[in-house]
Amino acid sequence: APTATGEVVERGTWGHSRKRYAAEEKAGGAGGGAGSTSQGPQHDQDQAPKRKRERKSKSSQDAKLSGLVEGSDDEATYGIWGPPSKEERDMAESQITDLARGVDLTDEQLAERAHIAERNRRKGKTDEEDGGDDAQKFDRLVERKMSHLLPPRLEGEEPKAIEPSTIFHGADELDYRGRSWTTPPAGTDSADPYDVDDHSCYVPKKCTGRLTGHNKGVQRVRFFPRTGHLLLSAGLEGKCKVWSIPERKVMRTYIGHSAAVRDVQFSDDGSTFLSASFDRFVRLWNTETGEVLGTYTNRRVPYVVKFYPHDNNTFVVGCSDNKIVAYDSKSGEITQEYNHHLAPVNTITFVEDHGTKMVTSS
């Protein structure tokens, strides 16, 4: 069909493939006719690059405009929740505080400033960024993985344990025969802790009694060796208590830690016991009198304590720095270190020949 300018345009059915369009064109001849199609697929392929060029030029034009419009304080990039601009940061740095202007602070502000200063002091923060001696820096290095779980260390101060005290809750410390309150009652059988055939153990089926006296939770309990007539408990309020199982009451309270007590352990004869606390101190107590026989620390948190079965003057401590240290209770010095774990030591168990070897877990 001729156009307005007199040019003849061949038209066919829309959507024909190229092969069919060629066949129809060959069959129809060069003269054209009623069966001719419109522009066809070839025209669409010619128009595709043109549309791509138009989109590309439009995107480049938008980029040029955005570069001209946006600035450091423009919200087009981040929205209203974006980071502060350079101008806002400069203004904040040059701003004068109320304290610098001489404005009197309220009581609440003064109390908050005092609280923050005390918190920083307990955490060892000072005005100098590199403050503290080499030992304190090493402590932070070895405990960096567990620092969020450990109590703050009083850095810059000499570590000192609190003054110990004890309270006896019984009627008399000696009976009418002059025996101590820690002596087993008459008729109590004594059993070797390593003799597994002495008696049988069963799963408990009912509660026979309750012992109440701690102000907070109880972390650990230990029975008196061989007889079990006394029970030693470690409280989260920093106190240790010895209970009488036959009388169902507390006999003595031992106060000597400023933080929760993590573990306690009787000696082989029960005359002394150890207490390990989150205040980073281990203390040796006389069970009968409540006297502190020794205080030990290596600036780490003790997780577990155990007496050496063959010598009550030697005990081992599992610490938060992944090590196990052995102490001499008489001299207070560390005699041996075991460094074979990658995390804090949780348990120590002596095995084989009444405790010639130990098994540890971390």
Side-chain angles (χ1 to χ4, degrees), residues 331-344:
S331 64
E333 297 180 354
I334 297 177
T335 59
Q336 183 74 24
E337 283 191 0
Y338 308 88
N339 187 9
H340 299 282
H341 285 289
L342 301 178

Side-chain angles (χ1 to χ4, degrees), residues 287-316:
T287 307
E288 180 181 354
T289 64
E291 179 187 359
V292 175
L293 304 178
T295 302
Y296 317 91
T297 182
N298 62 343
R299 303 192 308 275
R300 312 292 190 272
V301 176
Y303 276 24
V304 58
V305 289
K306 286 284 185 178
F307 277 102
Y308 181 54
H310 297 281
D311 185 6
N312 286 333
N313 294 324
T314 302
F315 63 91
V316 293

